[in-house]
Amino acid sequence: MVEPVGNHYVIARPVYSENAFNEEHEKLHRYHKTFWDHLKHYFSCSPQRVKKIALNLFPVISWLPAYRFREWVLSDIVSGINTGLVAVLQGLAFALLVNVPPSYGLYAAFFPVLVYFIFGTSRHISVGPFPVLSLMVGGVVTRLVPDDSIGNGNSTNISAINDERVMVAASVTFLSGIVQLLLGIFRFGFIVIYLSQSLISGFTTAAAIHVLVSQLKFMFQLPVPGFNKPFGIIYTLESIFSQITETNVADLVTSLVVLLIVFVVKEMNDRYKEKLPTPIPIELLVTVLAALVSHFVNFEEKFNVAVVGKLEEGFQTPVAPDVGILQNCIGDGISIAIVGFAVAFSVAKVYSIKHDYPLDGNQELIAFGLGNIVGGSFKGFASSTALSRSGVQESTGGKTQIAGIISSVIVLVVILAIGFLLAPLQKSVLASLALGNLKGMLMQFKEVGILWRKDKYDCVIWVVTFLSAVFLGLDIGLATAVAFQLLTVVIRSQIPSCTVLANVGRSNIYRNRKDYTDIYEPEGVKIFRCSSPIFFANIEFFREKLITAVGPAPSHRKSSFALPLLLTNYDTSMSTQKGLVCMANPMYESDEELDNNKIEELDQPTIMTDLPIRINWSTDLPPGITVPQVNIHSIILDFSSVSFLDFSAMTVLRKVITICKTNSDHMKEKLTDAVTLEGYT
C-alpha cells in the first residue's frame, strides 16, 4: 500500500523511441509558410488590415476615445503640473551635460512629449532628457567642437562655439532618431533582449559616475576641457585637481548646500511615500529659492559665479542636420539610439506590468525615433525617459499621456513667457540638481553583491560593463560590454553544467549528489544530467564529463557488463513491466505495493540474457593487459534540459555509446551483435 504525502501523480506507459512512436501514431502533414507567403501577407491589403495598421501606428486612436474623463482628468492634470515643473528643471540641468546653452534643454523636454502622445504605447513614462543620453551626446559635442574650437570662420567667441555645439547635438539626435525609426519599421524591437538587466544596470551606473565627474567643473567653476576618449575620466579628474586652488568658494558652498537639501528631502520622499499625498517637489522649491536669492543678492557680480543667463524666448527655426557631422558620428548615433530605447523600454515595462496593459517594442522605437527627429530638427537633443521624472508622473496619479501633454504645456509656458525669471540662477545649482537625480543609479552598486550570490556570470557582466564604460567611455564601453556579454553566452554553452544525480533521502527525487548528504545511488546505475543544448561547440566537453562520471575510460577496460542507455525526460522514475511510475513527492512504499506493481529495484542483479547485445564473456584479454573492474550495468542520460542536439553532437554521442557497448576497439571482433542507438542514428 502506498501512503501518499501531499500531491502526487503516477504515470504508467510504454517506453518509446522516436521511431517506434512515429510508427504507431501517424503524423499529420502540415504546410509551412515560405518566405514568399509571409511577404505576400505582409503586403496584402484589406479593410481589416488597414484598420489594424492604423491602430498599431497611432495608439492614441485606441485609448483616447475610451478615456474616463471624470475619473482620470483631475489626476492627470495634477500629475502633469508636477511632472512639467520637474521637466523644466531637468531640461536646464541636463543641457549642461550636453555642453549647450540651458534653453535648448527645454526644447528636448517639449517636442518629444508631443510626438510620444500620438505614437507611444506606454501610459506612464515621462519622455524627455535623460542624463545618460545627455552625457553621450555631450561626448560627441566635445569631440567635434572642443573648447578651443575656432568655429566655422575665424571667430573664437563663445556664441559661435555654442552655435556649433547646438548644431552637433541636433544632428546626432536627428541621426539617432533615424536609426530608431528604421529599427522600428523593420521590426527590430527584439534587439533589447541583447541588453541584459545586468548590462543596463552596470552601464547606467557608469554613466552616473561620468555625470558626477562632468558636473564637478560647474560646482567648482573651473575651466575643464572635455576629454572624450579612452580614460578621459582620469584626464578630467587630473585637470580638476590640478586647478583645485582656483575653486570659486561661493559656487562650491551653494552646490553642497543644494545637494544636501535635495538628498535629505528625496530620502524623506522615499521613506514616507505611502503617507505623503504627493512627493515634495524639492527641485522646484530649491530652484525658486536659489533664483530669488541670486536676483536680490546679485551673486554674479559679487562672487563672480556662473549663471544661466538669458534664455531665448520662443522656438528656433527648424534646421536640417549637417551632413558632415552625420558622417563623423554614425557610431555614436547608433549607440545613443539603442541605449535610449533600452532604458525607456525597461522603465515602460515596469509600469505596464504594474498597471496591466501591453507594450509594443517596435512601436516604441517608432515613437522615440520620430520624437528625436522632430526634437533634433528644432535644435533639441536626444530624449528617452528619466527614471525620477517618470516616477513623479506615476506616483502623483498620472493615468495616461494626457499628463504628458499637461507637462509639455508647463514647459511651453516657460519657453514663451517666464524663462527670463531663471536667468540669474547659478549653474552650480543646476549641476547639483542633476547630481540629485543620480541617487537611484548610484544605489545600483548594491546589485553587485546580490548578483554574486545569485549568478556569478551576471555579476561579472555588471562589473565588466561598469569598468569598460567608466574608463573606455560610454560608446566604446557599451560595445565592449555587449561583446563580453555575448562571450559569456558562448562560454556557458561551451561549458554546460553536467552532474551525476542521486536519490535524495530515498524520496525518488533525484538531485546533484554533491549538494546533499543523505543520498542513495542505485547499485550499478549512473544517472548523468546535462543542463544545456548539446552541439558541436560543447560535445567534447560533454563526452569527457560523461566518461569521468562513469569511471575509467571505456576504451581501456574490459567491462563486466553490457551497457543499455536510456534517454529519459523524467527526473524521477522507476521501471515497471507496464512503463514508468513517476512520483513528484515522497511516498511510502509497502512490500505489497512493490509486489503488485512488480517494480524492479534498480540495485537488483542484472540478468545478462535480457540485454540487447551478446558478448562472449569467456574471451580473454590480450596478454599483458589488465583493467579495473567496473560494476556499472546501466547509464541513464537525463536530457530533460537538452533543447536540441545537432548532427555533430549526435555523431559523437553515438560513437561514445558504441565505445561503451563494445568495450574497446581491440575487443570489437569478439562481439556478436552490432549496436545502434535507435531513433538517434
Side-chain angles (χ1 to χ4, degrees):
M1 184 69 181
V2 177
E3 299 291 339
V5 178
N7 297 327
H8 68 286
Y9 64 87
V10 177
I11 298 177
R13 65 165 177 78
V15 178
Y16 289 103
S17 69
E18 186 72 18
N19 291 341
F21 185 83
N22 289 335
E23 288 176 1
E24 185 173 336
H25 302 279
E26 184 179 358
K27 212 171 184 179
L28 290 175
H29 175 71
R30 291 188 302 157
Y31 176 76
H32 296 278
K33 290 184 177 180
T34 64
F35 172 77
W36 294 109
D37 293 330
H38 289 287
L39 199 62
K40 290 177 182 178
H41 174 73
Y42 185 80
F43 287 103
S44 63
C45 184
S46 65
Q48 294 80 8
R49 183 168 175 77
V50 171
K51 180 180 178 181
K52 182 179 179 181
I53 292 175
L55 290 176
N56 289 336
L57 186 58
F58 302 98
V60 66
I61 299 176
S62 60
W63 65 261
L64 190 58
Y67 185 79
R68 302 176 188 175
F69 188 83
R70 293 184 178 180
E71 299 178 33
W72 292 350
V73 67
L74 183 60
S75 297
D76 278 340
I77 291 175
V78 173
S79 174
I81 293 174
N82 283 278
T83 307
L85 295 173
V86 175
V88 169
L89 301 176
Q90 289 187 349
L92 296 173
F94 297 159
L96 299 181
L97 301 177
V98 187
N99 295 303
V100 296
S103 59
Y104 292 92
L106 299 178
Y107 305 147
F110 177 73
F111 290 105
V113 178
L114 301 180
V115 176
Y116 191 84
F117 173 80
I118 300 172
F119 296 97
T121 59
S122 175
R123 303 175 189 172
H124 294 89
I125 64 171
S126 175
V127 181
F130 179 57
V132 175
L133 287 191
S134 300
L135 192 64
M136 294 178 74
V137 176
V140 181
V141 170
T142 303
R143 186 182 78 240
L144 298 183
V145 189
D147 289 332
D148 56 353
S149 172
I150 60 174
N152 291 326
N154 296 322
S155 174
T156 58
N157 59 71
I158 297 177
S159 178
I161 294 177
N162 285 339
D163 290 341
E164 284 192 56
R165 289 181 168 178
V166 168
M167 194 62 197
V168 171
S171 298
V172 73
T173 298
F174 187 92
L175 177 60
S176 67
I178 292 293
V179 172
Q180 289 175 329
L181 181 61
L182 291 177
L183 291 175
I185 292 174
F186 291 104
R187 321 304 288 175
F188 277 91
F190 66 87
I191 62 172
V192 72
I193 65 176
Y194 294 104
L195 301 177
S196 68
Q197 188 61 39
S198 301
L199 186 146
I200 292 175
S201 176
F203 182 79
T204 52
T205 306
I209 299 298
H210 278 285
V211 172
L212 174 62
V213 173
S214 68
Q215 295 305 287
L216 291 179
K217 66 179 182 180
F218 296 106
M219 296 176 65
F220 292 101
Q221 197 186 335
L222 297 174
V224 179
F227 298 96
N228 187 33
K229 57 182 179 180
F231 302 101
I233 192 170
I234 296 178
Y235 296 124
T236 301
L237 290 174
E238 180 185 9
S239 177
I240 290 173
F241 286 108
S242 65
Q243 307 175 67
I244 197 69
T245 56
E246 302 175 12
T247 299
N248 187 302
V249 178
D251 269 322
L252 179 60
V253 171
T254 302
S255 300
L256 295 177
V257 171
V258 171
L259 267 179
L260 178 63
I261 295 173
V262 169
F263 276 127
V264 170
V265 176
K266 281 185 174 290
E267 185 65 28
M268 292 174 57
N269 284 338
D270 292 339
R271 184 168 298 184
Y272 302 106
K273 60 183 177 182
E274 296 181 356
K275 297 181 180 180
L276 293 172
T278 180
I280 301 173
I282 185 58
E283 291 96 341
L284 175 64
L285 298 178
V286 167
T287 303
V288 172
L289 180 61
L292 290 174
V293 172
S294 297
H295 178 74
F296 289 106
V297 178
N298 198 1
F299 280 137
E300 183 178 9
E301 293 183 2
K302 290 186 177 180
F303 301 103
N304 194 29
V305 298
V307 298
V308 171
K310 181 181 178 181
L311 299 179
E312 296 189 25
E313 296 183 359
F315 293 102
Q316 297 288 315
T317 304
V319 294
D322 190 310
V323 177
I325 295 175
L326 296 180
Q327 293 174 347
N328 292 325
C329 59
I330 293 177
D332 300 287
I334 295 174
S335 59
I336 290 170
I338 294 176
V339 172
F341 168 66
V343 172
F345 189 80
S346 301
V347 176
K349 192 68 175 177
V350 172
Y351 292 123
S352 71
I353 294 174
K354 181 178 179 179
H355 296 279
D356 192 23
Y357 60 85
L359 281 181
D360 186 344
N362 295 308
Q363 184 61 30
E364 289 292 289
L365 274 170
I366 292 174
F368 281 104
L370 292 174
N372 282 325
I373 290 173
V374 174
S377 299
F378 284 91
K379 298 186 179 180
F381 49 84
S383 66
S384 178
T385 180
L387 283 68
S388 57
R389 194 170 62 249
S390 295
V392 170
Q393 180 164 319
E394 192 267 345
S395 63
T396 52
K399 305 296 183 184
T400 65
Q401 285 299 329
I402 294 291
I405 291 295
I406 301 297
S407 70
S408 65
V409 171
I410 300 298
V411 178
L412 179 64
V413 171
V414 175
I415 293 175
L416 297 179
I418 62 174
F420 68 93
L421 297 177
L422 299 174
L425 185 65
Q426 293 175 242
K427 286 187 177 181
S428 58
V429 173
L430 294 178
S432 300
L433 293 178
L435 297 182
N437 285 282
L438 300 179
K439 177 190 172 186
M441 287 188 281
L442 292 174
M443 294 299 288
Q444 291 176 146
F445 277 111
K446 293 181 179 179
E447 295 182 9
V448 177
I450 299 174
L451 290 173
W452 181 256
R453 293 190 296 270
K454 298 294 184 181
D455 190 326
K456 291 181 173 55
Y457 277 104
D458 279 340
C459 181
V460 173
I461 290 172
W462 196 103
V463 173
V464 170
T465 302
F466 174 79
L467 294 178
S468 60
V470 166
F471 293 108
L472 300 181
L474 295 178
D475 47 358
I476 301 177
L478 177 63
T480 303
V482 172
F484 180 80
Q485 180 179 247
L486 296 178
L487 178 62
T488 62
V489 174
V490 174
I491 294 174
R492 290 194 196 200
S493 301
Q494 284 188 306
I495 309 177
S497 174
C498 297
T499 56
V500 177
L501 305 183
N503 193 321
V504 180
R506 300 275 181 158
S507 63
N508 289 326
I509 303 296
Y510 287 80
R511 295 290 184 266
N512 188 350
R513 66 181 180 181
K514 296 181 180 180
D515 294 338
Y516 299 89
T517 55
D518 183 16
I519 61 172
Y520 162 69
E521 292 187 85
E523 184 178 347
V525 177
K526 288 290 184 180
I527 306 175
F528 185 79
R529 177 172 185 170
C530 180
S531 300
S532 78
I534 305 175
F535 58 106
F536 66 92
N538 63 12
I539 183 60
E540 287 300 322
F541 179 86
F542 171 83
R543 185 181 69 84
E544 294 296 331
K545 286 292 183 180
L546 176 59
I547 293 174
T548 303
V550 172
S555 61
H556 296 131
R557 69 169 183 260
K558 176 184 177 181
S559 179
S560 62
F561 57 88
L563 194 61
L565 281 92
L566 307 176
L567 299 182
T568 178
N569 280 336
Y570 296 96
D571 285 340
T572 62
S573 63
M574 298 176 63
S575 61
T576 71
Q577 289 183 349
K578 297 180 180 180
L580 295 174
V581 176
C582 300
M583 287 160 239
N585 288 306
M587 303 181 69
Y588 301 97
E589 302 163 357
S590 64
D591 294 337
E592 181 182 357
E593 178 72 10
L594 291 172
D595 185 63
N596 290 339
N597 288 330
K598 297 181 180 180
I599 298 176
E600 297 178 359
E601 294 283 356
L602 291 175
D603 56 357
Q604 293 297 319
T606 303
I607 302 174
M608 298 300 180
T609 57
D610 294 333
L611 294 175
I613 64 174
R614 302 289 184 266
I615 299 177
N616 185 359
W617 297 102
S618 62
T619 303
D620 294 328
L621 290 170
I625 296 180
T626 59
V627 295
Q629 184 79 4
V630 180
N631 297 316
I632 299 177
H633 60 71
S634 298
I635 295 178
I636 299 176
L637 299 182
D638 181 0
F639 280 5
S640 57
S641 299
V642 177
S643 58
F644 72 89
L645 294 88
D646 69 353
F647 181 78
S648 299
M650 292 181 186
T651 302
V652 175
L653 187 60
R654 185 178 178 184
K655 288 181 180 178
V656 172
I657 294 170
T658 303
I659 291 173
C660 290
K661 288 188 173 184
T662 57
N663 300 307
S664 70
D665 294 336
H666 298 291
M667 297 296 292
K668 285 183 179 179
E669 66 273 10
K670 303 297 183 181
L671 298 177
T672 59
D673 296 318
V675 181
T676 61
L677 179 62
E678 187 175 3
Y680 287 85
T681 58

